[in-house]
Amino acid sequence: MKVLAGNSNRPLAEAISTCLGVPLTKASVRRFSDMEVFVEILENVRGEDVFVVQSTSFPANDNLMELLVTIDALRRGSARRITAVIPYYGYARQDRKTGPRTPISAKLVANLITQAGANRVLTMDLHAGQIQGFFDIPTDNLMGAPVFEKDIRQTFEGHMGEVTIVSPDVGGVVRARALAKRLDADLAIIDKRRERAGVSEVMNIIGDAEGRRCILVDDIVDSGGTLCNAAVALMEAGAKSVHAYCTHGVLSGGAVARVAVSPLEQLVTTDSIQATEAVRVSRNTRQLTIAPLIAEAIMRISEERSVSSLFS
């Protein structure tokens, strides 16, 4: 196999390469003076099984274009199979029509990746499971739950009986329930009403938070407003402490500062998106690596073994 890295998250690609014991394929991914993307593969890839590691995080359009151009270069270089490894799938929140004359951008991006020449996709914690069906090629959706489970057991060692997993909204109940089941922990749900885009208002807590060590679980943390409001509501309901575990730390705008002054003791994300300087210096934000998990999935795909059994 060959592993090729784009520019969106080079440290993660290097960590995956180290886990696999396979050096990154030499390639030049650069910009012309007018910022057009140019990709040149500097090794022979004819007949090879190639994995392209590229998150479509900020700047989403640039990173997506890099991925598409890289796939095209590999296809024209006669690679046998091209797998797009997308730890964070951008545009995933635009997965349905939210009103008249609005796009379903997640489906458009899936079409672009397929038409560019990808043979399969490997991604992680898609915002909505149905996005797998947007692709006409095999798509593996990894779960961050095993990574979170291990860290939670270490962090709350000796206090697991006090842990309650909390979904910050009704839409994330399935995700929170799955983690709660793995940990044999209680489950609570926060019912919130969103007055307008980007503003969330916590309304009610379904379940018991009093005297509990609450762990908020979500797939994406962007502005941080939902998590911070949820943390305030949980503390007002008598929670002993509030932590948050989110797979994708988008953390746009002043999100890190917002989290820093919130009741959250700690926000834990994965390195599916490369940490900004604000995240690296934050006192209550940290990242867990998903490199071993992705490396194992890549190895199983290359050897035609089951990926789903990773989570059984």
Side-chain angles (χ1 to χ4, degrees):
M1 75 171 81
K2 285 186 179 292
V3 179
L4 196 152
N7 290 324
S8 70
N9 197 340
R10 188 85 184 182
L12 176 60
E14 290 170 352
I16 292 170
S17 168
T18 301
C19 290
L20 289 169
V22 176
L24 288 175
T25 300
K26 293 177 183 175
S28 173
V29 184
R30 59 184 190 271
R31 301 284 193 278
F32 288 121
S33 58
D34 62 354
M35 299 308 293
E36 283 185 2
V37 176
F38 178 74
V39 176
E40 184 179 7
I41 314 299
L42 303 175
E43 293 182 19
N44 179 28
V45 294
R46 186 179 297 274
E48 296 280 3
D49 192 8
V50 186
F51 295 83
V52 184
V53 182
Q54 177 81 336
S55 282
T56 51
S57 50
F58 176 85
N61 299 334
D62 287 0
N63 288 330
L64 174 59
M65 201 65 203
E66 262 189 30
L67 174 63
L68 299 175
V69 174
T70 302
I71 292 170
D72 187 70
L74 290 167
R75 181 170 61 88
R76 295 177 189 280
S78 302
R80 177 174 60 85
R81 181 172 65 178
I82 304 164
T83 302
V85 181
I86 312 172
Y88 171 67
Y89 184 80
Y91 286 98
R93 285 172 284 182
Q94 299 181 45
D95 61 337
R96 63 192 184 280
K97 287 195 70 170
T98 55
R101 297 168 297 281
T102 57
I104 304 178
S105 304
K107 169 61 175 170
L108 172 62
V109 171
N111 288 345
L112 289 170
I113 291 169
T114 304
Q115 289 301 313
N119 299 110
R120 69 182 302 131
V121 169
L122 175 63
T123 186
M124 186 166 184
D125 274 344
L126 286 169
H127 184 63
Q130 68 263 24
I131 294 175
Q132 277 186 285
F134 291 177
F135 287 92
D136 294 326
I137 53 178
T139 302
D140 294 301
N141 182 26
L142 303 180
M143 294 186 296
V147 179
F148 289 159
E149 178 189 359
K150 182 179 178 182
D151 189 78
I152 290 169
R153 290 191 184 278
Q154 291 174 348
T155 303
F156 295 90
E157 189 175 2
H159 302 285
M160 286 302 298
E162 300 177 3
V163 168
T164 294
I165 302 299
V166 184
S167 174
D169 54 36
V170 176
V173 173
V174 173
R175 185 180 302 105
R177 186 188 293 124
L179 183 58
K181 186 177 180 181
R182 295 178 76 102
L183 294 165
D184 194 24
D186 291 341
L187 177 68
I189 303 164
I190 292 182
D191 173 42
K192 65 180 175 63
R193 185 170 300 161
R194 192 182 298 274
E195 300 297 332
R196 60 181 186 277
V199 177
S200 61
E201 182 181 358
V202 174
M203 299 297 291
N204 191 32
I205 298 172
I206 305 168
D208 187 20
E210 188 171 357
R212 308 293 293 176
R213 300 176 190 269
C214 295
I215 300 175
L216 288 157
V217 177
D218 211 348
D219 62 326
I220 299 172
V221 52
D222 190 349
S223 67
T226 296
L227 288 183
C228 293
N229 290 343
V232 170
L234 289 166
M235 292 303 289
E236 289 176 350
K240 189 175 288 186
S241 66
V242 183
H243 291 66
Y245 282 76
C246 300
T247 307
H248 308 297
V250 177
L251 297 169
S252 60
V256 177
R258 193 174 294 115
V259 168
V261 298
S262 74
L264 283 171
E265 285 197 16
Q266 201 164 61
L267 168 61
V268 182
T269 65
T270 72
D271 55 355
S272 63
I273 298 174
Q274 188 172 346
T276 62
E277 183 61 27
V279 171
R280 285 192 287 269
V281 302
S282 173
R283 65 168 183 83
N284 64 343
T285 304
R286 64 185 174 93
Q287 283 193 333
L288 302 174
T289 185
I290 53 172
L293 178 62
I294 292 182
E296 178 64 23
I298 287 174
M299 183 64 74
R300 289 177 179 228
I301 290 171
S302 180
E303 296 174 353
E304 306 293 350
R305 292 188 288 132
S306 169
V307 173
S308 61
S309 60
L310 265 172
F311 307 102
S312 60

